[in-house]
Amino acid sequence: MPLSFTPPFTSSGRSALVQAPPWHYAGWLVNVAFAFDAARGATLVPLELGEATGQGCVHFADWQACGDDGHELLDPVYAQYRETIVVLEIDAKEGEGARFYCPLIYVDQDISMLRGWLQGWPKKIGQTWVTRSLPLIHPAAAPLSAGSRLGASLSVKERRLVDARVTLTGEKAGRLGFLSAPTIGAVGWPDLTQPERAAVPRYLRADIIDRVESGWTAGSASLQFHAHPVEELALLGEVRATTASAGWMGITVRGALAA
Amino acid sequence: MPLSFTPPFTSSGRSALVQAPPWHYAGWLVNVAFAFDAARGATLVPLELGEATGQGCVHFADWQACGDDGHELLDPVYAQYRETIVVLEIDAKEGEGARFYCPLIYVDQDISMLRGWLQGWPKKIGQTWVTRSLPLIHPAAAPLSAGSRLGASLSVKERRLVDARVTLTGEKAGRLGFLSAPTIGAVGWPDLTQPERAAVPRYLRADIIDRVESGWTAGSASLQFHAHPVEELALLGEVRATTASAGWMGITVRGALAA
Amino acid sequence: MPLSFTPPFTSSGRSALVQAPPWHYAGWLVNVAFAFDAARGATLVPLELGEATGQGCVHFADWQACGDDGHELLDPVYAQYRETIVVLEIDAKEGEGARFYCPLIYVDQDISMLRGWLQGWPKKIGQTWVTRSLPLIHPAAAPLSAGSRLGASLSVKERRLVDARVTLTGEKAGRLGFLSAPTIGAVGWPDLTQPERAAVPRYLRADIIDRVESGWTAGSASLQFHAHPVEELALLGEVRATTASAGWMGITVRGALAA
Amino acid sequence: MPLSFTPPFTSSGRSALVQAPPWHYAGWLVNVAFAFDAARGATLVPLELGEATGQGCVHFADWQACGDDGHELLDPVYAQYRETIVVLEIDAKEGEGARFYCPLIYVDQDISMLRGWLQGWPKKIGQTWVTRSLPLIHPAAAPLSAGSRLGASLSVKERRLVDARVTLTGEKAGRLGFLSAPTIGAVGWPDLTQPERAAVPRYLRADIIDRVESGWTAGSASLQFHAHPVEELALLGEVRATTASAGWMGITVRGALAA
């Protein structure tokens, strides 16, 4: 049954949850960079990858995604999803630049969830809300200009986990978080025929091409990670939003590379 | 308990489902005008208002809404919702221009549902998906330019009710549907102390001010209303999409007027 | 258009959100009675109805509802919903027995929401989860016997608002909350042609017949109302669960009575 | 990071989407056995496993699941989910009994989705509704007795995919579908560093212990698989419901076995 890229395995492959890449993504992103006590990073960053620097970023994203034929855009329940991505900077290896690691990420569609797992983005289901900037001068439009206020939130299993607020300055911003440096993730599955053994992670990063950006508009921000009985973001302790940005970006993922 | 604009009635009024207007709305709309057999309009248009002309429009809208202080934009689960609005043109009264009537409308948030009922938009819960045009040249961005393809759908109680597809021409479009003429709705509630009596409708239209628009981009479209055991759109028979448009718009509603 | 009991108003009435009563309800209920500082009750109980006694009850309900022909049971997205009902006892009038008032209630389906508003249950959309007792001896079955532990929660707009836990004693319990005494609600809608005026409440209670019960199993409980930026349950201050019960009940509502 | 049974990989393992087995499940099941043209089975059954016999079963399940400490039952958003399971009988190997294969299954919670993938149940997100029998004599209770009518449905990506209706006879029923014989599933993940290669399935079956049942009540049924642009159930052609049952069951899964 070679046509099913992923389960379910049918003779046509039509209903495979995920089709083979390339995967094209375009979306609206609100990005909040933050600082935290680096020593706490070890709760979320694997030792073998390095140590947390105490810098991180939360990305609230409102995506459209499709394959080469773009049919998902004609039936957008297949194209659209929202997610919250948390990345933590890890200390650079000798002679290399900054890198990020994605310990936690939350999404609201199954297709995106599995595409993420395969790339090393360990997605769980969560509900993301993020204000959009509309190209209008109007009280509800939050346009991309100085003074507009945007909000974003994430909830997981019926509890608020992240709250962020951004006030745009109208100035141009640089790239933040996973937009600025390679981001590593962990892929691995346990084998239930040996249920006493946990999954062994393998470190990958997405093979990204064809990035386009609208430019990023800067903002100041506040950010809170709330305590949760299962989720672990609050283990980072107090976080302090350092800078923020908002804008649109498109990328294409054609596979993954060893990290 | 004068502070609760609507139930629940508490001494502070803080948790009233809807706060008093003004209500500011800004959103992305995909509009598909359609023609149908005018004789079938009587299934959905009250006789006392007039007769259907055989012209209608479906609006797929992705809104942000807020009150004067805009706090909803900082916690966007309170601001954002998607809806599908169906309006049918009714024959103009002597000396008056075109008018529309809204027989059916579907939304995904409770606050919007009640605001709608009060204005004469008879909202039920339904799930709307609508492709967005992002300001990027990218396979998943569906930018506002010639050749971009957009999709939209509505489902109600787990069944697909409406499907639409639009291919943008890139040309400028005029206003369609409720964007082009006053739109009348029906408000009325039964009194359960007399449960044998149905609600008596009263005809209103929203009192709209401060409209802003981004301009509308034209498209060609296809449109289908699917059979449904409860919903009645398919009673209009075969519908033929005549023209379509997409763009952004903001309005403010400050109350309602007798229609 | 006399056939539509509620909006939408169509010539057949088929798609009216709510059909005329009788409405039959059967469900699984977990009931947690609680005590609170009576002086705080005035935040949620209208003065003209009386004063809160400092006793209340939260009901977590997993319902099936249908009309006389029962067709909803054949397409259960139309029959099933979950809700959280909060009722507060108010001081009895001279010569009358105990009464409750329902200030706040949260449900997850539109049909139930409107049926509630018409009866004076001021429903908003919220997500209720409640453990069910299954007739099995099994670790996941929480059977109706001593030692079984049940949980229940409510979230509103992506935030946890109520948490409850019950440990069954296996003993027989009496009726709690709205199961034990008439419960009054407030009905009222603002008129948008006079948008500066709030709705004026009218006090009703459901006209309930044909109650059946499975018997109630007693339990001990804990209960928490969490702070929320919009919802007001936490205004009751610290609440102390006094007793709890679980079981099944059926009722039929045929209209409403003046309270 | 040996404590995370699955992603996410954190030092505590607390937020792993799935914790190691044992996994205890108890639920209400409505089971509809059906016959179809066996020749069409090859669209959904891998050749190397055998050939479809033309018999299958759809299980509509309303589950509670937990680990050994049962904490999920105290916060039931973590315990409860609904799913629709399709199994097809495959011809028995020499000297062996009947076996089933699960080509397609749909669930509404992420935790259950990943537990399924690990066991060879290729879960996608879908919305299942299933009428419950309550222990009451009441129009909305659908009790487990002759004449009660139950409905069940599945929708996937906003489209109805399965509809079933059952009328109970009140007689005792035998085990149907996966309740009656070992059920094989396929586990496999593609490796994105070789994105041109599809996943290679490995055939497993759950290692199930400690089954308890309430007994099964028989019924007659109707069943429809609807056409869908992605899902493939309709490829089985016309299906004919042969028998049905309803009841409660508990099982424990402690791992998986090679099929």
Side-chain angles (χ1 to χ4, degrees):
Chain A
M1 299 222 156
L3 292 175
S4 287
F5 187 66
T6 70
F9 295 99
T10 65
S11 67
S12 76
R14 185 180 91 189
S15 62
L17 181 53
V18 168
Q19 303 292 331
W23 303 323
H24 306 290
Y25 303 79
W28 163 251
L29 284 93
V30 172
N31 316 295
V32 180
F34 63 90
F36 64 99
D37 176 0
R40 288 173 172 265
T43 59
L44 298 182
V45 176
L47 262 182
E48 62 261 47
L49 282 182
E51 290 184 8
T53 65
Q55 303 296 317
C57 192
V58 185
H59 304 273
F60 303 95
D62 196 347
W63 293 113
Q64 291 182 158
C66 63
D68 273 345
D69 71 359
H71 72 272
E72 296 91 340
L73 298 176
L74 295 175
D75 192 5
V77 67
Y78 280 98
Q80 295 180 341
Y81 62 98
R82 295 200 293 255
E83 71 185 352
T84 300
I85 307 166
V86 180
V87 297
L88 302 180
E89 192 186 43
I90 48 180
D91 54 331
K93 293 182 191 168
E94 189 71 28
E96 296 189 8
R99 298 172 303 151
F100 285 90
Y101 174 71
C102 176
L104 296 163
I105 176 171
Y106 305 87
V107 72
D108 58 11
Q109 287 265 25
D110 54 355
I111 297 172
S112 172
M113 193 163 123
L114 179 54
R115 277 193 310 233
W117 290 349
L118 299 176
Q119 295 174 62
W121 305 94
K123 297 188 182 187
K124 304 173 79 167
I125 295 289
Q127 281 65 47
T128 296
W129 291 86
V130 52
T131 306
R132 285 188 288 269
S133 287
L134 308 184
L136 300 168
I137 304 300
H138 183 274
L144 262 185
S145 52
S148 282
R149 296 181 305 163
L150 312 174
S153 67
L154 169 69
S155 69
V156 179
K157 299 295 180 210
E158 312 281 7
R159 289 172 177 95
R160 191 65 68 98
L161 184 60
V162 180
D163 275 300
R165 295 180 173 195
V166 175
T167 302
L168 299 179
T169 63
E171 292 172 14
K172 198 170 171 179
R175 291 170 169 175
L176 299 178
F178 89 92
L179 312 169
S180 67
T183 299
I184 300 169
V187 175
W189 314 100
D191 173 356
L192 273 200
T193 66
Q194 298 181 298
E196 70 290 349
R197 296 193 190 173
V200 176
R202 174 186 179 206
Y203 298 103
L204 299 182
R205 61 188 174 85
D207 183 8
I208 295 175
I209 57 172
D210 293 342
R211 175 145 62 159
V212 294
E213 291 176 356
S214 65
W216 302 100
T217 299
S220 60
S222 65
L223 177 69
Q224 290 173 281
F225 293 159
H226 301 293
H228 192 287
V230 172
E231 302 308 319
E232 303 188 56
L233 278 172
L235 298 184
L236 292 179
E238 199 164 341
V239 296
R240 183 172 50 84
T242 53
T243 183
S245 69
W248 291 271
M249 186 189 65
I251 54 174
T252 293
V253 170
R254 60 179 180 186
L257 306 169
Chain B
M1 300 222 157
L3 292 175
S4 288
F5 187 66
T6 70
F9 295 98
T10 65
S11 67
S12 77
R14 185 180 93 190
S15 61
L17 180 53
V18 168
Q19 302 294 330
W23 304 323
H24 306 290
Y25 304 79
W28 163 250
L29 284 94
V30 172
N31 315 296
V32 180
F34 63 91
F36 64 99
D37 175 1
R40 289 174 172 265
T43 59
L44 298 182
V45 176
L47 262 182
E48 62 260 48
L49 282 182
E51 290 183 7
T53 65
Q55 303 296 318
C57 191
V58 186
H59 304 274
F60 303 96
D62 196 348
W63 292 112
Q64 291 182 156
C66 62
D68 273 345
D69 71 359
H71 73 272
E72 296 91 341
L73 299 175
L74 296 174
D75 191 5
V77 67
Y78 280 99
Q80 296 180 342
Y81 61 98
R82 295 200 293 255
E83 71 185 352
T84 299
I85 307 166
V86 180
V87 297
L88 302 180
E89 192 185 44
I90 48 180
D91 54 330
K93 293 182 192 169
E94 190 70 29
E96 295 189 7
R99 298 171 303 151
F100 285 90
Y101 174 71
C102 175
L104 297 163
I105 176 171
Y106 304 88
V107 72
D108 58 12
Q109 287 265 25
D110 54 354
I111 297 171
S112 172
M113 193 162 125
L114 179 54
R115 277 193 310 233
W117 291 348
L118 298 176
Q119 296 174 64
W121 305 94
K123 297 189 182 186
K124 303 172 80 167
I125 295 289
Q127 281 65 47
T128 295
W129 291 85
V130 53
T131 306
R132 284 188 290 268
S133 287
L134 308 184
L136 299 168
I137 305 300
H138 183 274
L144 262 185
S145 52
S148 282
R149 296 181 305 163
L150 312 174
S153 67
L154 169 68
S155 69
V156 178
K157 298 295 180 212
E158 312 281 7
R159 291 171 175 95
R160 191 63 68 98
L161 184 60
V162 180
D163 275 300
R165 295 181 172 194
V166 175
T167 302
L168 298 179
T169 63
E171 293 172 14
K172 198 170 172 180
R175 292 170 170 174
L176 300 178
F178 89 93
L179 312 169
S180 67
T183 299
I184 300 169
V187 174
W189 313 100
D191 173 356
L192 272 200
T193 65
Q194 299 181 297
E196 69 290 349
R197 296 194 190 173
V200 176
R202 174 186 179 205
Y203 299 103
L204 299 182
R205 62 188 175 84
D207 183 7
I208 296 174
I209 58 172
D210 293 343
R211 175 146 62 159
V212 295
E213 293 176 354
S214 65
W216 301 100
T217 299
S220 60
S222 65
L223 177 68
Q224 290 173 281
F225 293 160
H226 301 292
H228 191 288
V230 173
E231 301 307 319
E232 303 188 54
L233 278 172
L235 299 184
L236 292 179
E238 199 164 340
V239 295
R240 182 172 50 85
T242 53
T243 183
S245 69
W248 291 269
M249 186 189 64
I251 54 174
T252 293
V253 169
R254 61 179 179 186
L257 306 169
Chain C
M1 298 215 158
L3 293 175
S4 288
F5 188 66
T6 70
F9 295 97
T10 65
S11 67
S12 77
R14 186 180 92 189
S15 61
L17 180 53
V18 168
Q19 302 293 331
W23 303 324
H24 307 289
Y25 303 80
W28 163 251
L29 284 94
V30 172
N31 315 296
V32 180
F34 62 91
F36 64 99
D37 175 0
R40 289 175 172 264
T43 58
L44 299 183
V45 175
L47 262 183
E48 61 261 48
L49 282 182
E51 289 184 7
T53 65
Q55 304 295 318
C57 191
V58 185
H59 304 274
F60 303 95
D62 196 348
W63 293 112
Q64 291 183 157
C66 62
D68 274 344
D69 70 359
H71 72 271
E72 296 91 341
L73 299 175
L74 296 175
D75 192 5
V77 66
Y78 280 99
Q80 295 180 341
Y81 62 99
R82 295 200 294 255
E83 70 184 353
T84 299
I85 307 166
V86 180
V87 297
L88 302 181
E89 193 186 42
I90 49 180
D91 54 331
K93 293 182 191 168
E94 190 69 31
E96 296 190 8
R99 297 171 303 150
F100 285 90
Y101 175 71
C102 175
L104 297 163
I105 176 170
Y106 304 88
V107 71
D108 59 10
Q109 287 265 25
D110 53 356
I111 297 172
S112 172
M113 190 165 136
L114 180 53
R115 277 192 310 233
W117 282 59
L118 298 175
Q119 295 173 63
W121 305 95
K123 298 189 182 187
K124 302 172 82 167
I125 295 289
Q127 281 65 47
T128 296
W129 291 86
V130 53
T131 306
R132 285 188 290 267
S133 287
L134 308 184
L136 300 168
I137 306 300
H138 183 274
L144 262 186
S145 53
S148 282
R149 296 181 304 164
L150 312 174
S153 66
L154 169 69
S155 69
V156 179
K157 298 296 179 209
E158 311 282 8
R159 291 171 175 95
R160 191 64 67 99
L161 182 60
V162 180
D163 276 300
R165 295 179 172 196
V166 175
T167 302
L168 298 179
T169 63
E171 292 172 17
K172 200 170 170 180
R175 291 170 169 175
L176 300 177
F178 88 92
L179 312 169
S180 68
T183 299
I184 301 169
V187 175
W189 312 89
D191 173 357
L192 272 201
T193 65
Q194 298 181 297
E196 69 290 348
R197 297 194 190 173
V200 177
R202 174 186 178 203
Y203 298 103
L204 299 181
R205 61 186 174 85
D207 183 7
I208 295 175
I209 58 173
D210 293 342
R211 176 148 60 160
V212 294
E213 292 177 355
S214 65
W216 301 100
T217 299
S220 60
S222 65
L223 178 67
Q224 290 173 280
F225 293 159
H226 301 291
H228 191 286
V230 172
E231 302 307 320
E232 303 189 55
L233 279 171
L235 297 184
L236 292 180
E238 199 165 338
V239 295
R240 182 172 50 85
T242 53
T243 183
S245 69
W248 291 270
M249 187 189 64
I251 54 174
T252 293
V253 170
R254 61 180 178 185
L257 306 169
Chain D
M1 299 219 158
L3 292 175
S4 287
F5 188 66
T6 70
F9 295 99
T10 65
S11 67
S12 76
R14 185 180 93 189
S15 61
L17 181 53
V18 168
Q19 303 293 331
W23 303 324
H24 306 289
Y25 303 79
W28 163 251
L29 285 94
V30 172
N31 315 297
V32 180
F34 63 89
F36 65 98
D37 175 1
R40 289 175 172 265
T43 58
L44 299 183
V45 176
L47 262 182
E48 60 261 48
L49 282 182
E51 291 184 7
T53 65
Q55 303 296 318
C57 192
V58 185
H59 304 274
F60 303 95
D62 196 349
W63 292 112
Q64 290 182 158
C66 63
D68 273 344
D69 71 359
H71 72 272
E72 295 91 341
L73 299 175
L74 296 175
D75 191 5
V77 66
Y78 280 99
Q80 296 179 341
Y81 62 99
R82 295 199 294 255
E83 71 185 352
T84 299
I85 307 167
V86 180
V87 297
L88 302 180
E89 193 187 43
I90 48 180
D91 54 331
K93 293 181 190 167
E94 191 68 29
E96 296 190 8
R99 297 171 302 150
F100 285 89
Y101 174 70
C102 176
L104 297 164
I105 177 171
Y106 305 87
V107 72
D108 59 10
Q109 286 264 27
D110 54 355
I111 297 171
S112 171
M113 189 166 138
L114 180 53
R115 277 193 309 233
W117 282 59
L118 298 176
Q119 294 174 63
W121 305 95
K123 297 189 182 187
K124 302 172 81 166
I125 295 290
Q127 280 66 47
T128 296
W129 291 86
V130 53
T131 306
R132 286 187 289 267
S133 287
L134 308 184
L136 300 169
I137 306 299
H138 184 273
L144 261 186
S145 53
S148 282
R149 296 181 305 163
L150 312 174
S153 67
L154 169 68
S155 70
V156 179
K157 298 297 179 210
E158 311 282 8
R159 290 171 175 96
R160 191 64 67 97
L161 183 60
V162 181
D163 275 301
R165 294 180 174 196
V166 174
T167 302
L168 298 179
T169 63
E171 292 172 15
K172 199 171 170 180
R175 292 170 170 176
L176 299 178
F178 90 92
L179 312 169
S180 68
T183 298
I184 301 169
V187 174
W189 311 89
D191 173 356
L192 272 200
T193 64
Q194 298 181 296
E196 70 289 348
R197 296 193 190 174
V200 176
R202 175 187 178 203
Y203 298 104
L204 299 182
R205 62 187 173 86
D207 183 8
I208 295 175
I209 58 173
D210 293 342
R211 175 148 60 160
V212 294
E213 292 177 355
S214 65
W216 301 100
T217 299
S220 61
S222 65
L223 178 68
Q224 289 173 282
F225 293 160
H226 301 291
H228 191 286
V230 173
E231 301 308 320
E232 303 189 54
L233 278 172
L235 298 184
L236 292 180
E238 200 164 339
V239 295
R240 182 172 50 86
T242 53
T243 184
S245 69
W248 292 270
M249 187 189 65
I251 54 175
T252 292
V253 170
R254 61 179 179 186
L257 305 170

